[in-house]
Amino acid sequence: MVFLGVFQKYIQPSIEILNLRIDEPITTVTDLLFAAICFYAFFRIRRMEYDGRVKWYFKYYFLTLGLGGMTGGIFGHAFLYSLPQEWKLVSWVFTIISVALITHAVVELSKPLVKPRFTKWVGRINLLILALTVFYTLWTLAFLPVKYYSIFGLVGVVGSISYYIYLKTRKRGVAILMAAIGIGFISALVFSFEWGLSPWLNHNDISHLILSFSAFGMYKGAALILS
């Protein structure tokens, strides 16, 4: 029987390919897998005939999220040993922006169902918290603001507004979106508690794999909403 190593953090060994050192190779690959799914979603949504700001927000949510995954794998894991620590910020800032975009997408989607004052204030508050999160992340070089803003944006704002929209419309796409957010929250738990199986499948790898399923679910939900 396999048990998650709840109290053990697995450190992934480096490998060399043609004399090129690659740190955390499986973590890098799973990050790139996650990014590939996001880029696929971006290109698919871009081709959709739906017009409006909701599509714009969803489209660039996946683009920035994919860029965050790609730069995280390359700069934050594989080759960070040869770069200043500040290079990790590239991925983190892309991730923060992506959360702001998905938040605005759902706020825009809720406009026919709520008072204009509500969407205006939620949008303003989100932009304020986005700016503060980016500033604090750049100032401290800490990942915690990224994690907390992601939880606030995805669970607190996107999840709650999506639930309200679903109660009013019963749209299947919104239900899938909420399910995908739930899967993403599981990924956050795995990452936070460092639940891993081995050095070659540690908490980062498992978290990225779960996030990949979540991203695909977000795409399917968005596609149904925009269809």
Side-chain angles (χ1 to χ4, degrees), residues 103-180:
T103 301
H104 279 288
V106 174
V107 169
E108 190 73 21
L109 190 64
S110 72
K111 279 187 174 180
L113 305 171
V114 298
K115 294 181 179 179
R117 182 180 296 179
F118 173 79
T119 57
K120 183 183 294 185
W121 277 105
V122 171
R124 288 176 177 176
I125 292 170
N126 183 48
L127 287 175
L128 175 61
I129 297 176
L130 165 68
L132 292 173
T133 303
V134 171
F135 173 78
Y136 191 71
T137 301
L138 295 175
W139 181 264
T140 62
L141 300 181
F143 183 72
L144 277 180
V146 184
K147 182 171 73 171
Y148 290 140
Y149 177 68
S150 297
I151 293 172
F152 161 77
L154 291 173
V155 179
V157 181
V158 177
S160 58
I161 295 178
S162 295
Y163 181 67
Y164 179 80
I165 295 172
Y166 179 75
L167 289 178
K168 294 292 184 179
T169 65
R170 298 295 175 179
K171 287 185 176 180
R172 184 165 173 261
V174 177
I176 294 175
L177 200 68
M178 289 190 294

Side-chain angles (χ1 to χ4, degrees), residues 50-59 104-105 108 111:
Y50 184 98
D51 290 323
R53 298 176 70 179
V54 175
K55 175 184 173 180
W56 190 93
Y57 286 129
F58 273 126
K59 181 174 63 174
H104 279 288
E108 190 73 21
K111 279 187 174 180

Side-chain angles (χ1 to χ4, degrees), residues 28 31-32 34-35 64-74 77 91 94-95:
T28 301
D31 241 337
L32 295 178
F34 169 69
T64 52
L65 190 60
L67 290 171
M70 183 182 70
T71 56
I74 296 171
H77 295 288
S91 172
F94 274 130
T95 301

Side-chain angles (χ1 to χ4, degrees), residues 202-220:
N202 64 18
H203 64 287
N204 285 323
D205 311 329
I206 297 172
S207 175
H208 292 163
L209 290 173
I210 297 173
L211 273 179
S212 297
F213 282 105
S214 175
F216 187 75
M218 296 284 276
Y219 157 67
K220 296 299 287 187

Side-chain angles (χ1 to χ4, degrees), residues 21-24 27-29 31-32 35 39 66-83 87-88 90-91 208:
R21 172 183 157 188
I22 301 175
D23 285 353
E24 301 178 283
T27 301
T28 301
V29 169
D31 241 337
L32 295 178
F39 291 144
L67 290 171
M70 183 182 70
T71 56
I74 296 171
F75 302 143
H77 295 288
F79 304 113
L80 186 61
Y81 65 87
S82 64
L83 299 168
W87 278 87
K88 295 188 294 186
V90 178
S91 172
H208 292 163

